[in-house]
Amino acid sequence: MQFDALRTFITLVEVNNFTKASEILHISQPSVSLHIKNLEQEFQTTLFIRSPKSVQITPTGEILYKRAKQMMAIAEAAKEDILTYHHEIQGTLVIGASFTIGEYILPPIIASLQQQFPQLELQVIIGNTKEIIQYTKLLQVDIGLIEGQAQDHELLIKPFMQDELFIVSASNNPLAKESTITVADLQQQNWVAREEGSGTRYYLDHLFRANGLQVRSLLTISSNQGVKESVIQGLGLSLLSASVIERELKNNDIKILPLEEQHFIRTFSYLYSPTMKNKRNVDILLEALLKKA
């Protein structure tokens, strides 16, 4: 089996168009078709259902796509291992990170890695926790960093640091004047939350359920910055990571509302496919993460 044919197959699956695949790979459209035909003959199956307007992957095509991604990842890891043998760290490291980690924890680590390894190309994909788990399973990223913990038999998942969450409000909110608040104070309040699938949203929903909180209104925004700005404008309370609100606390834009006898601690975890185990570029990031923790 040729890696060129597998690379063509993976590209066609991801762009779902023969013309686009040929443009990305810089080969002719007949060459794309020939690569797919050769793979179908080798595996004695149909990988795509073709029509004049679309290309649809078959169930056996889905099986090959998953394995092809793993094979290409192993081949890339082999190249990097050989480069490491020659005392060079280069190539590409694609990192998937949930919003809080990607926006507030990862940037200084990335800056340090770029300084240490100028030949290493770093790419960061940011999404919510649910999305990052999926990207990691599909090998669209080399390693994922998520808020909270997860269980998936296809991935290696380990914690690397802890994070504390706080209930926050605008500085002029009446509750901001209290030294501590009670669950009763939180009843029938307006809240601003991250979207479903976010690690932060998971903990907010747990806060609601565990304390039997009744919510007057819930505004959902799919970014930490949007949530913070909404809180500052007085649109509601929220539950946010200490790393997210550090600047706003210093500027007195946001106030922490300490909930009586309750603390919110969560774990940040890294996860990767077993095919990425001992990949040197991944190991370099892990070393930097554990050093920061």
Side-chain angles (χ1 to χ4, degrees), residues 1-11 13-14 39 43 47 57 60-76 138-139 275-276:
M1 190 191 312
Q2 295 183 355
F3 279 102
D4 285 346
L6 284 179
R7 188 175 292 108
T8 299
F9 169 72
I10 290 170
T11 303
V13 172
E14 293 177 350
L39 287 174
F43 289 102
L47 299 174
I57 191 169
T60 53
E62 292 280 6
I63 293 171
L64 180 59
Y65 175 70
K66 179 179 178 180
R67 297 303 183 189
K69 291 284 284 187
Q70 293 174 341
M71 285 187 277
M72 297 303 291
I74 291 170
E76 181 64 25
L138 294 176
L139 296 176
T275 59
M276 296 294 173

Side-chain angles (χ1 to χ4, degrees), residues 6 15 22 25 29 35 66 76 94 96 125 147 161 186 190 194 197 200 203 214 222 230 252 255-256 272 276-278:
L6 284 179
V15 302
S22 68
L25 296 167
Q29 190 168 330
H35 281 164
K66 179 179 178 180
E76 181 64 25
V94 184
I125 297 174
E147 302 157 30
M161 69 179 290
L186 297 178
N190 300 323
R194 286 285 310 281
T200 304
Y203 281 88
Q214 299 297 314
S222 59
S230 298
N252 200 37
K255 289 288 188 180
I256 290 175
Y272 55 86
M276 296 294 173
K277 191 173 184 179
N278 298 323

Side-chain angles (χ1 to χ4, degrees), residues 169-177 231-232 234 253 255:
S169 74
S171 297
N172 60 359
N173 189 298
L175 291 177
K177 300 176 183 178
V231 171
I232 291 170
D253 294 325
K255 289 288 188 180

Side-chain angles (χ1 to χ4, degrees), residues 147-164:
E147 302 157 30
Q149 295 176 300
Q151 291 183 342
D152 194 299
H153 69 278
E154 295 183 35
L155 300 172
L156 299 173
I157 305 172
K158 294 184 179 180
F160 69 89
M161 69 179 290
Q162 287 191 319
D163 178 52
E164 186 167 8

